[in-house]
Amino acid sequence: MSMPSADNATQVNKLARGLIYIVLILFAIYYLLPLYVMIVNSVKPLSEIREGNMLALPREFTLDPWYTAWSTAQIGVQATGLKPYFINSILMAVPAVAISTLLGALNGFVLTKWRFRGDNLVFGLMLLACFIPFQIALIPAARILGMLGLAGTTRGLVLVHVAYGLGFTTLFFRNYYAAFPTELVKAAQIDGASFFQIFRRILLPSSAPIIVVTVIWQFTNIWNDFLFGASFGDFKSQPMTVALNNLVSSSSGVKEYNVHFAGAILAALPTLFVYIVSGRYFVRGLMAGAVKG
Amino acid sequence: MSFLQIRNLEKTFGNVKVLKGIDLEVEEGGFLVLVGPSGCGKSTLLNSIAGLEAITGGSISIGGKAIDGLHPSQRDIAMVFQSYALYPNMTVAGNIGFGMEIRGVAKPERDKAIATVAEMLQIGHLLDRKPSQLSGGQRQRVAIGRALVRKPQVFLFDEPLSNLDAKLRVDMRTEIKRLHHRMGTTIVYVTHDQIEAMTLATKIAVLKDGVLQQSGTPAEIYNNPANLFVADFMGSPAMNLIPVTIKRNGSGVSISTPREEQDPLVLGVPNAPAGLSAHDGKEVIFGIRPEALTDRDGADRNAANVAESECLIEVVEPAGSDTFAVTRLGRKHVTARLRADANVAAGKKTKLAFNLDKAVFFDPASGLRIV
Ligand SMILES: Nc1ncnc2c1ncn2[C@@H]1O[C@H](COP(=O)(O)OP(=O)(O)OP(=O)(O)O)[C@@H](O)[C@H]1O
Ligand SMILES: [Mg+2]
């Protein structure tokens, strides 16, 4: 008579599975709650928020807070909305990510396949850059930007972010290329390919996973950076993060929470977008080194 | 004048000397096989010829022209790597044509060359595939194709067959031999495989710790090893190397070695090399290959000097075509190669015939052959 006990076992199994799902769903809700609050309150009129129930769905749906946050909110002295700062952030982040990723790839290529005397020391020093806190670099960076005449410009911010990100991007690419077969490079040399031809034709096409990892990492860090933006940007080049802070902490008038929520979501959208588009490669890229060996 | 000439080649990595003055040459159309234990510098030597490693001393010339300092692509060589080293992001055709593409050869001409090579290697139907979609043997063919299409003066192969299974290895070995016959191009080939070395080579070079031990035709290396290392390294099963004591008696020389549970083995060596008498009363190493140590009926009838002795057989290993019998001489296991149907049994005594025509002697101190 084993049938009933087998039935029992499957039932216990189902119960356990159900419990696990309930716990997981609770965690997921808990985790998504802040996003929910932000979204829900960004489409309510301010009066509804004032009534005190942040968790309630909007009774009256409105996109006005989004419009205000984007183009008419008072930021600093002018009522420009977040739009110009969003553009500043794009103009800063896109070149900084592209340049630091490309340079990191080149560094990784040289450090693994065109080794030279003292290459490990160079790598060690670059690695050290990953551990230097932002704050330590502020004053020297300000001096150098001043000397280069880049203080307060978007180009200056790009330079700072490239310099700061290079340690990370080099680390990523070096470790990835260390597992890349050297014989391929030798074969290409015999085929007559030059340094850049080998880089472009042989290494880069096989680098998609690590490029995705690096781009996500760099984009998130640079987009979300506040300190460099606040320190080295002026009112023409300040990034989104600084503008958001100014929007939220502006002392004049009433606190427009719905506008603040909309602004915060706007500020987070690009990184969200990057994750959604390339997130599955992110995991794959992180794993690639482990599997290839 | 030989075609590929290597003169006093030296290579150091940091402060480690990896190649210590290699002198080696190959005639045009020759097939040089480099053998030696792992880490002895075979790949380094090959990479030096290819120009992938900068050498620290000596010189290399191909066809009378010094190639030191030339870029790998200008040395007129082509290389096939152990891991095949196919570009993973390119098709088979792309792999074979990459070198021509870099040199700016026009597309129609490239396609023609690719087609010719593909036909020669029977990989025409694979041209549009990526390397990841090929079997090991097919990848190897593509790698060879990429080398062939360059029409180089010298082919360099670094253990090209070691990643293939046994059957495929034999097929590809035959194929490489056929290609060599057909093209007549000079080849330098690294392998760990004894049989590959013996069957392919017109010349074998044995390396150990970056020093060239001996170079010569396969027969020379096999029959006349210059030292203990070469004797031990070449041949499978390995040559029996037995410590024996030399006794001069009159004009002749005899060797003796103790045996457990038996009288010492004493053999007169009428054809002893002249140098052996200088070792009177001392120990030398007596080398005899398993096939020169047989049952009486299997002994070579043309051999001039055959000595016989009763030996206690410890192990019998039938191997199909032959039977290997292991006895013990001078505390060493000694393998004899008998006919498949030889009448031997473990634990019994059997008369073994020593073909002394094939015997060699070595000085145990220097390891050098006594001549
Ligand atoms: N880039 C390098 N830096 C330092 N030492 C090296 C380098 N390349 C090779 N060596 C050393 O040189 C020696 C010879 O290496 P090589 O690869 O030529 O050996 P090999 O005979 O081809 O061995 P295997 O049969 O295992 O392929 C080894 O001891 C190795 O550790
Ligand atoms: Mg090797």
Side-chain angles (χ1 to χ4, degrees):
Chain A
M1 288 271 117
S2 64
M3 288 307 285
S5 75
D7 261 9
N8 256 338
T10 45
Q11 265 182 3
V12 170
N13 223 331
K14 265 187 189 162
L15 201 71
R17 186 165 285 254
L19 275 175
I20 290 172
Y21 271 109
I22 289 172
V23 171
L24 288 179
I25 288 167
L26 283 177
F27 272 124
I29 290 174
Y30 181 69
Y31 195 73
L32 287 172
L33 210 55
L35 184 64
Y36 168 79
V37 169
M38 282 172 68
I39 292 175
V40 169
N41 289 299
S42 72
V43 290
K44 286 179 191 170
L46 194 56
S47 54
E48 258 185 64
I49 298 180
R50 287 256 179 71
E51 287 164 21
N53 192 352
M54 299 270 267
L55 290 176
L57 286 168
R59 261 174 286 133
E60 189 197 329
F61 180 86
T62 168
L63 282 178
D64 280 350
W66 286 72
Y67 177 75
T68 312
W70 181 246
S71 50
T72 64
Q74 180 87 17
I75 291 175
V77 285
Q78 282 170 312
T80 56
L82 288 170
K83 187 169 141 196
Y85 303 96
F86 188 90
I87 292 168
N88 282 348
S89 268
I90 296 273
L91 290 180
M92 169 188 77
V94 170
V97 169
I99 294 170
S100 62
T101 302
L102 191 71
L103 288 180
L106 270 173
N107 282 344
F109 178 41
V110 170
L111 287 172
T112 54
K113 305 300 175 206
W114 294 76
R115 310 203 38 191
F116 52 92
R117 203 172 271 274
D119 53 356
N120 275 325
L121 183 70
V122 171
F123 178 56
L125 290 175
M126 301 200 82
L127 209 55
L128 210 59
C130 303
F131 300 107
I132 297 177
F134 280 6
Q135 290 78 356
I136 289 181
L138 280 185
I139 293 173
R143 286 276 327 240
I144 291 173
L145 288 179
M147 272 160 27
L148 295 174
L150 293 174
T153 65
T154 299
R155 278 189 298 161
L157 281 171
V158 169
L159 179 64
V160 170
H161 281 298
V162 167
Y164 200 83
L166 212 52
F168 291 96
T169 58
T170 302
L171 172 69
F172 290 159
F173 278 97
R174 198 206 83 113
N175 287 355
Y176 188 78
Y177 287 155
F180 191 87
T182 305
E183 288 192 343
L184 282 176
V185 177
K186 291 184 173 175
Q189 275 179 285
I190 291 177
D191 271 337
S194 65
F195 176 90
F196 282 106
Q197 278 171 326
I198 294 175
F199 180 62
R200 209 173 59 74
R201 301 287 307 272
I202 312 292
L203 267 88
L204 273 192
S206 302
S207 307
I210 200 67
I211 290 176
V212 170
V213 169
T214 312
V215 165
I216 290 184
W217 174 269
Q218 281 296 88
F219 189 83
T220 320
N221 278 334
I222 295 174
W223 185 271
N224 289 338
D225 164 70
F226 178 77
L227 187 63
F228 286 158
S231 312
F232 305 133
D234 64 9
F235 67 98
K236 284 206 304 285
S237 60
Q238 266 166 0
M240 186 80 168
T241 44
V242 178
L244 185 66
N245 176 63
N246 293 348
L247 169 73
V248 173
S249 61
S250 68
S251 49
S252 61
V254 288
K255 291 262 181 218
E256 293 184 289
Y257 289 113
N258 51 357
V259 174
H260 297 173
F261 280 128
I265 297 173
L266 280 173
L269 273 183
T271 46
L272 210 62
F273 174 77
V274 170
Y275 266 108
I276 289 169
V277 168
S278 49
R280 60 204 175 95
Y281 295 102
F282 187 68
V283 179
R284 227 183 275 168
L286 286 179
M287 302 294 292
V291 182
K292 267 192 181 159
Chain B
M1 174 111 177
S2 39
F3 189 65
L4 171 65
Q5 240 179 345
I6 299 168
R7 284 267 158 273
N8 198 23
L9 180 66
E10 290 186 4
K11 170 72 190 169
T12 48
F13 285 113
N15 44 18
V16 187
K17 241 186 174 161
V18 174
L19 297 178
K20 302 165 187 168
I22 306 275
D23 282 301
L24 201 54
E25 41 196 50
V26 200
E27 76 283 15
E28 180 151 25
F31 199 125
L32 171 69
V33 174
L34 301 174
V35 293
S38 196
C40 70
K42 305 181 294 291
S43 299
T44 307
L45 177 53
L46 214 59
N47 286 339
S48 304
I49 299 173
L52 296 169
E53 302 278 8
I55 58 178
T56 28
S59 67
I60 305 172
S61 66
I62 292 178
K65 183 170 141 251
I67 56 169
D68 311 304
L70 284 184
H71 187 268
S73 62
Q74 285 154 4
R75 295 189 169 204
D76 216 353
I77 50 104
M79 190 151 170
V80 177
F81 296 89
Q82 179 173 6
S83 65
Y84 319 133
L86 299 177
Y87 311 125
N89 52 306
M90 299 180 201
T91 61
V92 167
N95 265 280
I96 297 176
F98 185 65
M100 287 183 281
E101 192 188 329
I102 294 288
R103 271 174 280 138
V105 175
K107 180 118 176 51
E109 202 179 322
R110 248 189 296 166
D111 287 344
K112 216 173 109 207
I114 293 170
T116 313
V117 166
E119 196 208 345
M120 199 189 296
L121 293 167
Q122 290 150 24
I123 49 174
H125 56 296
L126 304 173
L127 286 179
D128 294 326
R129 293 209 202 159
K130 291 275 174 70
S132 58
Q133 300 164 319
L134 302 178
S135 72
Q138 291 169 335
R139 283 180 208 183
Q140 188 58 72
R141 277 164 200 274
V142 176
I144 292 175
R146 189 173 61 185
L148 281 181
V149 82
R150 291 177 63 86
K151 299 206 180 70
Q153 296 217 55
V154 179
F155 279 114
L156 307 173
F157 287 86
D158 194 354
E159 305 196 34
L161 306 185
S162 59
N163 282 344
L164 302 178
D165 65 55
K167 167 97 173 59
L168 205 52
R169 195 148 64 209
V170 175
D171 293 348
M172 287 304 291
R173 191 174 78 206
T174 316
E175 186 133 345
I176 289 177
K177 185 146 193 166
R178 201 166 47 225
L179 277 174
H180 180 238
H181 270 297
R182 186 161 152 191
M183 323 241 315
T185 312
T186 311
I187 293 180
V188 183
Y189 188 104
V190 172
T191 182
H192 268 120
D193 186 316
Q194 308 274 334
I195 304 176
E196 245 170 74
M198 297 298 290
T199 52
L200 291 174
T202 60
K203 182 173 193 172
I204 293 179
V206 185
L207 264 73
K208 181 195 172 200
D209 295 337
V211 178
L212 180 65
Q213 302 292 310
Q214 186 178 4
S215 67
T217 64
E220 272 166 20
I221 298 279
Y222 192 77
N223 296 321
N224 292 311
N227 58 33
L228 265 176
F229 177 80
V230 176
D232 192 32
F233 190 78
M234 292 303 292
S236 168
M239 181 186 269
N240 298 303
L241 296 165
I242 310 156
V244 296
T245 310
I246 300 296
K247 272 214 185 61
R248 264 169 76 172
N249 37 12
S251 61
V253 170
S254 72
I255 57 175
S256 73
T257 183
R259 291 191 280 196
E260 279 171 27
E261 303 163 32
Q262 262 188 297
D263 300 334
L265 171 78
V266 180
L267 298 175
V269 189
N271 61 329
L276 207 56
S277 48
H279 292 262
D280 186 21
K282 289 194 219 134
E283 196 166 81
V284 302
I285 306 290
F286 165 55
I288 187 159
R289 292 212 179 266
E291 63 267 25
L293 181 56
T294 57
D295 52 316
R296 291 171 69 189
D297 301 336
D300 183 356
R301 291 191 211 301
N302 299 321
N305 303 289
V306 177
E308 292 179 1
S309 172
E310 287 270 326
C311 295
L312 181 68
I313 305 299
E314 292 190 348
V315 181
V316 176
E317 297 172 340
S321 57
D322 304 289
T323 296
F324 292 101
V326 179
T327 179
R328 211 187 308 198
L329 295 174
R331 298 177 306 283
K332 295 261 286 188
H333 290 288
V334 171
T335 306
R337 184 174 185 168
L338 316 182
R339 287 169 305 137
D341 54 355
N343 182 20
V344 282
K348 292 238 176 68
K349 285 189 181 173
T350 302
K351 207 152 219 175
L352 293 181
F354 292 73
N355 181 355
L356 296 176
D357 285 1
K358 301 270 187 182
V360 287
F361 297 90
F362 301 96
D363 183 336
S366 65
L368 292 179
R369 175 94 176 268
I370 298 169
V371 288

